[in-house]
Amino acid sequence: MKKHLLFFAVLLFPLLGMAQVVLEDFEGGAKLPWNALDGTYSSIDNPAGGNTLGLNSSAKVGSYTKKAGAGYSLFLAELPTALDLSTNNQFKIQVKAAVASAFILKLEGTSGFIEGNKNIAVAGEWIEYSFDFSKAAATQNLKKIILFFDPGTDASADTYLFDNLTVGPACGGAAPSANILDNFECARNIAYGSPGFADITAIDNPDKTGINTSDKVGRYKDTGSEWHAMVIDWGGALPLKDRSLVRFKLWAPKAGRILVKFEGGTSPQKEIFLDVTELNKWVEYAANASDQVNENHTKLVIFFNAGVLPGADDVYYIDDISLDPAPTSFTYEDFEGGAKLPWRAGDGTFTIVPNPPGGDTLQINGSTTVGAYTKEAGKGYSLLIAELAQPLDLSLYNVFKIQIKTAAPTSVLLKLEGPNGFVEGINNIAVKDQWIEYSFNFSKSAALKG
């Protein structure tokens, strides 16, 4: 609901150094001893077509046809010297699949293994996939590189082309959150599906300011129809039971609405609209799908300027897309570092002041700064108002709490108001000069929107 909150290239063994190493590119012959224990393998001329992204202009590529009846048709290369993942542990491989499916890249040795699974959302196109194996940096004796295409599907016998298998150094700085879907640098953990897979590309950050100073971001060219979208294809049910909050940083060139949509599974579609009002700067947005934790969706779709025909130069930048656990509560305002909400005194006066000593017998408020409101004399309903940028969703969060310290016994009215109606609650304040926390339960208005 809206929005008024009143009151408040050569294989080297061992792999040394920090440069990217080309493990396989098939130019001048295979560099690795590939062995199709199941299925068939050969090095072939790179066929024409299927290179919309301009990724692979190689003359030669590898071709592997999976063995029918073998869910984990075994295809591997065993190296004479172990891989050293202590510095180089970021793997990339380009794959062109005959069908939308999935594949596993596995490194194996006498002391253990590590593997990653990638969804293949687009068939007939060269797509680059990234694997972060930094967790296995200390693992020794990893000599086998294994590829499983369409793993676990016995009936499949399709052909997969692959090329440009490389390994490079770990990303600098702090490790990215495990919930990151794509940060367009090391953590690239998702597959983009059709339509729109060719419209999202990793580029140098054109505006390294504010909340986003990372080197790489995603560039999305809004084109075609008013419902053209960026499709994240999970390849199975999204893990919404544990992670139902979509976050991303967005640099938008025009005002409008972002639509975050969950679809593709057995459950009805879920749509969440987000208003875009701050332009030409990095802003973080969040779409809370906590009401979908028991639903089945396989795709996360983001529409930029939803419902509006794109212009010729509608380019958006996006970064740090994540799927996080939904918070159990939100802090709308705490006045630390300044006000987070645009408070406006409709009557009376409002300021931010140092938290005065005393009056915290219950030890509930150790804040440095607090809001101070002085009611206008003669006004029965002297107003303090904040208008939120995004509508409140009372279906998810409907119990509001506020800490108040007053100079005299009185009462407080909290009112939520929007174009579709309002809801309000009142609490008596019986104790003066004491921080007390008051609750307002609006669960009976959970269906109120806007």
Side-chain angles (χ1 to χ4, degrees):
M1 82 182 295
K2 192 176 175 183
K3 287 181 184 173
H4 292 119
L5 179 59
L6 300 186
F7 221 70
F8 310 44
V10 176
L11 178 61
L12 302 176
F13 298 109
L15 301 180
L16 299 174
M18 296 297 287
Q20 187 181 72
V21 175
V22 177
L23 298 175
E24 183 61 90
D25 63 5
F26 296 104
E27 302 308 306
K31 293 176 172 58
L32 300 181
W34 295 104
N35 184 8
L37 300 178
D38 302 307
T40 58
Y41 153 75
S42 61
S43 176
I44 65 170
D45 293 337
N46 189 358
N51 198 16
T52 304
L53 300 177
L55 286 174
N56 193 345
S57 58
S58 300
K60 294 287 186 179
V61 299
S63 174
Y64 176 71
T65 301
K66 185 179 176 183
K67 178 183 177 181
Y72 291 87
S73 187
L74 188 57
F75 177 52
L76 60 84
E78 186 162 2
L79 313 179
T81 305
L83 295 161
D84 180 3
L85 269 59
S86 63
T87 54
N88 285 352
N89 47 50
Q90 306 295 311
F91 287 74
K92 295 182 179 181
I93 186 172
Q94 295 171 3
V95 174
K96 181 180 176 182
V99 295
S101 50
F103 76 101
I104 293 173
L105 174 62
K106 182 177 183 179
L107 309 179
E108 185 177 276
T110 56
S111 58
F113 70 90
I114 187 170
E115 65 183 27
N117 191 315
K118 296 294 181 181
N119 180 43
I120 298 175
V122 179
E125 287 281 352
W126 281 107
I127 305 290
E128 185 172 79
Y129 301 89
S130 299
F131 296 83
D132 179 358
F133 287 156
S134 57
K135 291 182 179 179
T139 305
Q140 303 295 314
N141 301 316
L142 296 173
K143 291 187 176 183
K144 293 180 181 179
I145 300 175
I146 305 172
L147 291 169
F148 294 107
F149 291 102
D150 203 5
T153 306
D154 290 342
S156 61
D158 298 296
T159 297
Y160 296 82
L161 307 184
F162 66 102
D163 198 12
N164 298 327
L165 172 62
T166 65
V167 62
C171 290
S177 164
N179 299 327
I180 287 287
L181 303 183
D182 199 348
N183 67 3
F184 301 94
E185 293 174 276
C186 281
R188 309 212 64 192
N189 301 316
I190 53 175
Y192 294 101
S194 294
F197 82 94
D199 300 315
I200 181 72
T201 55
I203 66 164
D204 292 337
N205 187 349
D207 186 11
K208 297 174 71 170
T209 60
I211 64 171
N212 191 5
T213 58
S214 63
D215 292 332
K216 296 287 185 180
V217 301
R219 177 188 187 272
Y220 180 80
K221 177 68 168 66
D222 196 16
T223 186
S225 75
E226 61 268 46
W227 298 108
H228 194 70
M230 185 182 80
V231 180
I232 296 172
D233 191 328
W234 200 262
L238 286 158
L240 298 178
K241 192 169 188 65
D242 301 312
R243 300 157 59 193
S244 57
L245 183 71
V246 179
R247 292 185 189 272
F248 54 88
K249 295 171 185 172
L250 183 70
W251 191 102
K254 59 173 55 176
R257 294 196 302 171
I258 299 295
L259 170 58
V260 178
K261 186 176 182 181
F262 299 84
E263 63 180 33
T266 59
S267 297
Q269 299 173 353
K270 169 70 176 182
E271 296 183 343
I272 302 173
F273 284 92
L274 305 172
D275 292 328
V276 174
T277 57
E278 297 186 75
L279 308 182
N280 304 318
K281 62 181 291 189
W282 286 105
V283 179
E284 185 170 72
Y285 294 88
N288 194 331
S290 296
D291 59 346
Q292 300 295 296
V293 295
N294 295 316
E295 305 300 325
N296 180 280
H297 302 287
T298 63
K299 295 179 181 179
L300 171 60
V301 186
I302 299 178
F303 298 82
F304 298 79
N305 205 10
V308 178
L309 282 170
D313 299 310
D314 284 4
V315 173
Y316 293 77
Y317 301 102
I318 191 168
D319 201 12
D320 296 331
I321 308 169
S322 66
L323 191 61
D324 298 323
T328 57
S329 64
F330 288 103
T331 299
Y332 285 105
E333 183 62 87
D334 61 8
F335 297 109
E336 301 306 305
K340 294 178 174 57
L341 298 181
W343 294 103
R344 174 173 58 87
D347 305 295
T349 58
F350 166 75
T351 56
I352 300 174
V353 300
N355 189 358
D360 196 15
T361 305
L362 301 178
Q363 296 183 342
I364 63 172
N365 193 340
S367 300
T368 303
T369 51
V370 299
Y373 176 70
T374 302
K375 183 178 177 180
E376 181 175 341
K379 291 283 187 176
Y381 288 90
S382 186
L383 301 179
L384 177 62
I385 306 168
E387 186 165 349
L388 279 66
Q390 303 297 335
L392 296 164
D393 188 348
L394 297 185
S395 66
L396 300 175
Y397 301 100
N398 46 50
V399 177
F400 289 74
K401 296 183 178 181
I402 182 172
Q403 295 170 5
I404 298 174
K405 178 182 175 182
T406 64
T410 181
S411 61
V412 57
L413 173 73
L414 175 64
K415 183 177 182 179
L416 311 178
E417 182 181 282
N420 298 319
F422 70 89
V423 61
E424 64 184 21
I426 193 166
N427 267 289
N428 290 322
I429 300 176
V431 180
K432 69 174 185 177
D433 296 325
Q434 178 66 53
W435 282 108
I436 305 289
E437 184 169 86
Y438 300 90
S439 295
F440 299 82
N441 190 330
F442 296 142
S443 58
K444 292 182 178 180
S445 300
L448 189 60
K449 301 294 183 182

